[in-house]
Amino acid sequence: FLACKTAIQALLAKGDLLLGDGRLHESLRDGIRCAAQKGAKTMMFRHNDFVQLEHLLQTYRKNFRRAYVVVESVYSMDGDFTDLVKCQELAQKYDCRIILDEAHGLGILGETGRGLEEVQHCRQAAWLVVGSLTKALGSVGGYVCGSRDIVEFLHFFATGTMFSAPLSVPNCIAVYKTLR
């Protein structure tokens, strides 16, 4: 919960636009509300409605410094997937960054369990990948994957990492062994 929430909260600021799928998990929604309090413009689009997403991007993207689209690989309440290929096309067309929640896809989707990017053959579509270590990895906590610069930034500015205990050694070993 904290990994998803505080990554979004830390990364967005005034002058940014965030468009989120209407069925996002509460952890992401909470981060989006925090980003809005910091001055970011946030809007939700109908679940998996990429026509509406494109309309919102056409209408608003030009007014903002940076833009983000937040989607989940597998939506936990419905079990359906996002169309990451279409999302990536729109992100490239409108200069947006994709934040992908892989909490329910990692370890399950794809020949090697790498998630939706593997299944839909669009490697590195996401600018940032967030998720849970509690599902397929059988541990506790959450994760954020991105470039070294982003991860380092989050170490200092994501309150979820500053004000929580680090993962215990047994939990780290469990995740490591499961991934191997």
Side-chain angles (χ1 to χ4, degrees):
F1 195 98
L2 282 175
C4 294
K5 173 187 175 174
T6 62
I8 291 172
Q9 176 185 15
L11 290 168
L12 275 83
K14 188 174 182 170
D16 292 338
L17 171 66
L18 182 143
L19 301 168
D21 186 282
R23 294 223 178 120
L24 290 176
H25 187 271
E26 180 60 23
S27 60
L28 299 163
R29 289 176 175 273
D30 205 16
I32 291 168
R33 284 190 293 272
C34 291
Q37 290 174 347
K38 289 173 53 181
K41 175 72 172 169
T42 63
M43 294 182 222
M44 304 303 272
F45 59 94
R46 286 183 298 275
H47 178 56
N48 275 338
D49 187 339
F50 292 97
V51 172
Q52 184 189 27
L53 174 59
E54 182 162 24
H55 173 73
L56 292 171
L57 287 167
Q58 284 174 339
T59 304
Y60 297 102
R61 173 61 184 107
K62 62 188 169 288
N63 301 323
F64 295 91
R65 168 185 55 176
R66 292 182 302 235
Y68 302 84
V69 175
V70 183
V71 292
E72 295 185 34
S73 64
V74 180
Y75 289 87
S76 60
M77 300 308 285
D78 302 328
D80 58 343
F81 304 166
T82 197
D83 184 345
L84 195 55
V85 174
K86 182 63 177 172
C87 193
Q88 184 178 30
E89 288 171 8
L90 292 175
Q92 289 171 346
K93 183 176 180 180
Y94 294 97
D95 187 28
C96 298
R97 297 169 174 173
I98 298 172
I99 298 174
L100 176 65
D101 181 352
E102 271 289 5
H104 296 95
L106 181 70
I108 305 299
L109 298 179
E111 190 173 311
T112 66
R114 292 181 185 207
L116 194 63
E117 289 179 325
E118 181 178 19
V119 168
Q120 295 186 358
H121 307 288
C122 51
R123 287 195 59 185
Q124 299 179 337
W127 176 74
L128 195 72
V129 178
V130 297
S132 173
L133 300 175
T134 64
K135 311 292 186 223
L137 299 180
S139 190
V140 298
Y143 64 89
V144 177
C145 298
S147 72
R148 181 179 302 264
D149 289 343
I150 296 165
V151 171
E152 183 142 335
F153 174 86
L154 291 174
H155 276 299
F156 290 99
F157 296 102
T159 57
T161 61
M162 286 188 284
F163 299 110
S164 65
L167 217 52
S168 70
V169 172
N171 288 114
C172 290
I173 292 170
V175 169
Y176 176 75
K177 290 290 188 179
T178 303
L179 288 171
R180 291 195 42 89

